Amino acid sequence: MTTQPASTDPFESHRRFLTRLAYRMLGSVSDAEDIVQEAWLRWRETEQTEIAQPRAFLARIVTRLCLDQMKSARSRREFYVGAWLPEPLVEEIGAAESDVDTQLDAPIALMLALERLTPLERAAFLLHDVFDLDFAEIARTIDRSESACRQLAKRAREHVRIDMPPRNKVDPTEAKRFVEAFFKAAHKADTSDLQTLLANDVAFHSDGGGKVLAVINPLYGIDRVTRFFAGIARKVISQNKSTTVFKPVLINGLPGYLSLERGETLQATALDIRDGLVHAIYIVRNPDKLRHITLEAG
């Protein structure tokens, strides 16, 4: 076994890539971190000087660990209460982005599309189309022929293209302004302001995991979504409870915010904004998916 200083250790230079790969495979920040930690332990026991391509070698370890974990995760997902959303990746609006960061972001719509793939389709698609590994390496990673890997990636690509909406980058200043306007409008019993911000075919997804109150099934259409928000606002007003913390952020690359709703329930809200209107709203309230987020009152 040969180890290297942290400053020159290939594992550390690829840690972010490995974490993003594991997150896209599993949809869980905590599980991705655990996978990367296990990969690091295995890397330590490897004769590192004999590894010609550390990035591909480490991706192989992480992918195989993810595939093993997905076997049990899939069975647990069958009993999940309500809609499933990935654990939110949160970052500051306007934070400096490198080319690799942009390449490795994980839009919620993509994460949901990936959920409809088989584990091997998911691995082949991510490794080739997102992380640019060749099919020879992917074949070694998932123990399939190169032609089989090409077919897996092709099928996955077709599903993802159907499910993925077009992406629009929002200027940071505009993103904050829009998020603040949405937050204020969504907490009013009068829906007139909210209606000006939503697309007619807006979709609403909420994930409470059976742990906290959340909408079990998605809501579709501006009328149903605005009625829902108006009902919540009226209830909050009648109970004299309010949101004690509001912080605009990016969630999986989408403008959104973190909040303590009714002063106690941590919530991550992401807005898919296209052509100046919200086409999808994603709200994660399941506390198990928000353990990596800290938001202090006041």
Side-chain angles (χ1 to χ4, degrees):
M1 177 185 68
T2 303
T3 59
Q4 303 179 42
S7 59
T8 59
D9 186 357
F11 189 94
E12 292 306 320
S13 65
H14 296 304
R15 179 181 288 273
R16 183 174 177 83
F17 153 66
L18 297 172
T19 302
R20 293 293 179 128
L21 170 59
Y23 174 78
R24 284 193 167 195
M25 285 290 292
L26 302 173
S28 165
V29 175
S30 55
D31 288 347
E33 291 172 346
D34 290 343
I35 289 289
V36 172
Q37 179 63 18
E38 176 63 27
W40 178 75
L41 293 174
R42 298 191 181 194
W43 171 253
R44 285 184 60 194
E45 300 302 319
T46 301
E47 192 62 41
Q48 298 165 18
T49 56
E50 297 180 1
I51 306 301
Q53 296 180 306
R55 184 175 186 268
F57 177 81
L58 292 168
R60 190 185 315 157
I61 294 176
V62 166
T63 301
R64 288 175 175 175
L65 289 170
C66 288
L67 288 172
D68 288 341
Q69 178 148 330
M70 288 172 75
K71 295 175 184 177
S72 60
R74 290 263 168 168
S75 62
R76 291 196 305 269
R77 197 72 52 78
E78 292 177 1
F79 300 98
Y80 196 81
V81 179
W84 180 93
L85 293 174
E87 288 186 15
L89 286 176
V90 179
E91 56 189 332
E92 299 289 333
I93 292 180
E97 290 185 342
S98 66
D99 290 339
V100 69
D101 289 341
T102 302
Q103 178 187 2
L104 301 186
D105 68 358
I108 296 174
L110 172 61
M111 297 299 295
L112 294 177
L114 292 175
E115 282 296 300
R116 290 185 275 276
L117 306 179
T118 68
L120 290 181
E121 286 174 345
R122 189 166 183 161
F125 172 78
L126 289 175
L127 291 173
H128 182 265
D129 286 37
V130 177
F131 297 109
D132 203 28
L133 271 68
D134 61 47
F135 283 113
E137 178 57 39
I138 296 171
R140 287 189 289 271
T141 298
I142 64 174
D143 196 24
R144 295 292 188 277
S145 67
E146 286 189 45
S147 60
C149 291
R150 291 179 187 277
Q151 287 301 312
L152 287 168
K154 180 181 178 182
R155 289 199 300 268
R157 201 175 297 124
E158 291 170 351
H159 286 297
V160 169
R161 283 177 178 170
I162 292 172
D163 294 336
M164 277 292 292
R167 296 199 62 201
N168 291 334
K169 291 211 68 172
V170 182
D171 173 79
T173 301
E174 179 63 17
K176 284 186 177 181
R177 185 201 66 78
F178 198 105
V179 166
E180 290 171 356
F182 175 88
F183 176 80
K184 292 176 181 178
H187 287 76
K188 292 180 180 178
D190 181 349
T191 63
S192 56
D193 289 342
L194 184 59
Q195 289 177 349
T196 66
L197 302 175
L198 304 181
N200 288 329
D201 60 350
V202 62
F204 175 92
H205 305 264
S206 179
D207 180 346
K211 306 293 180 67
V212 297
L213 288 175
V215 177
I216 296 295
N217 298 310
L219 303 177
Y220 297 101
I222 190 170
D223 291 337
R224 294 190 69 190
V225 173
T226 52
R227 285 200 305 269
F228 168 78
F229 277 107
I232 294 295
R234 284 193 293 268
K235 187 173 182 179
V236 170
I237 293 171
S238 68
Q239 295 177 347
N240 197 28
K241 293 184 178 181
S242 61
T243 302
T244 55
V245 180
F246 163 73
K247 180 182 180 181
V249 293
L250 287 179
I251 298 176
N252 291 69
L254 296 177
Y257 59 87
L258 303 175
S259 58
L260 285 178
E261 295 296 325
R262 306 184 196 179
E264 54 188 23
T265 303
L266 178 61
Q267 175 174 303
T269 302
L271 307 176
D272 180 4
I273 303 170
R274 286 174 261 149
D275 300 321
L277 295 173
V278 177
H279 284 256
I281 303 165
Y282 303 101
I283 296 181
V284 176
R285 293 169 58 82
N286 184 345
D288 292 343
K289 295 186 176 183
L290 301 172
R291 289 177 294 184
H292 61 291
I293 297 173
T294 301
L295 188 65
E296 297 180 357

